[in-house]
Amino acid sequence: MEKLGISLGMLFVQILSFVVLFVVLRAWVFKPLMAQLEKRRKIVAQGLEDARVAAEARANAEKEASRIIAEAQAKAADIVREATERAEAVAREMRATQEEELLKQREQALAELEAERNRVLSEMRGQIAALAIAATQKLIKETLDEQRQRALLAEFFSGVRDGKVVVLEEETLTGGAAEVTSALPLTPEEQEVVKRDILARLGGGASVTFRVDPSILGGLIVRVGDRVIDGSVAGQLQNLRQHLQ
């Protein structure tokens, strides 16, 4: 070793110094450094784990928020739809109520007009009878029995003779309802006679209604179902015109 220029004492001292340095470095440098690195690694790992957990929590929160928003939107849509349906139902009910009220007012107005027209026609019936009697007397140039003339005029307007409806004398009726049209309003007594005669033919369970149409001039038109029995003066004049053509 000495030939190589290496002193054993110096080598031993250097080895001893290296060992001491290694022990010192290991004890006071490497271990704290490794511990610090391990601590740092754990902190980084914990940070990564916390980041992962936070990311999952965020994803779950976003998913839950989306679900809540979707449910809220669905509920809002249901509320809007229900409110719209209610508004439409209220609007329909209001329109129906208004239409029903307008219809009632219209029917009431028509009924009032019909009643007023019938009242005027009833008042005119006496005047017409007087004019007819006067005209008849002038035509035949003699005075007829006034009671007889009034009976003839009553028959002319009511279509009733001897307690029977003239136009139904040879008719057979079947049905559940009858409508009677006259040129002037019939008196309660005349309506009772007509109603009694028709019910005797149809049966007690049938109904009889009356209406006024001055255009038929006189006599009666009886409608039972689809069948029309025309005993009016206008109908007789029309038949006469057809025969003369």
Side-chain angles (χ1 to χ4, degrees):
M1 300 290 291
E2 292 179 355
K3 291 181 179 181
L4 295 175
I6 300 173
S7 174
L8 290 175
M10 184 59 70
L11 179 62
F12 178 76
V13 171
Q14 291 180 349
I15 293 173
L16 182 60
S17 299
F18 178 77
V19 171
V20 172
L21 180 61
F22 176 77
V23 172
V24 171
L25 289 175
R26 186 173 183 277
W28 300 97
V29 178
F30 291 153
K31 282 187 177 181
L33 181 60
M34 293 301 294
Q36 190 67 24
L37 291 174
E38 181 64 19
K39 183 179 179 181
R40 181 65 178 171
R41 185 190 67 77
K42 289 181 179 180
I43 292 174
V44 172
Q46 185 63 39
L48 293 174
E49 180 64 18
D50 292 343
R52 184 187 65 79
V53 172
E56 290 181 356
R58 179 181 176 183
N60 292 334
E62 290 178 351
K63 184 178 179 181
E64 183 67 14
S66 299
R67 184 184 65 80
I68 293 174
I69 291 173
E71 290 180 354
Q73 290 176 343
K75 289 182 180 179
D78 290 339
I79 292 173
V80 171
R81 177 180 55 78
E82 184 177 354
T84 301
E85 291 177 352
R86 288 182 179 178
E88 292 177 350
V90 171
R92 286 195 300 269
E93 184 176 353
M94 291 179 62
R95 286 196 299 270
T97 302
Q98 292 174 353
E99 291 176 357
E100 184 178 356
E101 185 65 24
L102 290 174
L103 182 59
K104 287 182 179 179
Q105 293 178 1
R106 179 175 178 272
E107 291 177 349
Q108 182 178 357
L110 291 175
E112 291 176 354
L113 290 174
E114 181 75 12
E116 179 63 17
R117 187 191 68 166
N118 290 343
R119 184 187 66 80
V120 172
L121 291 175
S122 296
E123 293 177 354
M124 291 178 59
R125 180 170 175 170
Q127 299 174 7
I128 294 171
L131 291 174
I133 291 173
T136 302
Q137 290 176 354
K138 284 188 177 183
L139 285 174
I140 63 177
K141 298 185 182 301
E142 63 178 280
T143 302
L144 298 178
D145 179 68
E146 183 176 351
Q147 183 177 358
R148 175 58 179 164
Q149 292 188 44
R150 290 189 179 276
L152 291 174
L153 288 174
E155 179 183 334
F156 176 83
F157 287 117
S158 67
V160 175
R161 183 175 58 227
D162 298 329
K164 298 291 184 180
V165 179
V166 177
V167 72
L168 298 180
E169 287 183 347
E170 298 180 359
E171 299 291 340
T172 301
L173 301 179
T174 56
E179 180 187 75
V180 179
T181 303
S182 59
L184 294 177
L186 301 180
T187 64
E189 294 78 10
E190 291 169 344
Q191 287 189 8
E192 183 61 28
V193 171
V194 173
K195 186 175 181 180
R196 185 171 58 249
D197 190 4
I198 293 176
L199 292 180
R201 300 169 187 272
L202 295 180
S207 62
V208 180
T209 57
F210 296 89
R211 61 185 296 267
V212 176
D213 182 4
S215 65
I216 71 172
L217 302 179
L220 297 178
I221 297 177
V222 180
R223 180 186 298 272
V224 180
D226 295 332
R227 186 180 179 190
V228 178
I229 304 170
D230 190 350
S232 67
V233 174
Q236 294 174 12
L237 291 175
Q238 180 65 27
N239 292 334
L240 180 61
R241 279 195 296 267
Q242 291 177 354
H243 287 306
L244 293 176
Q245 289 178 355

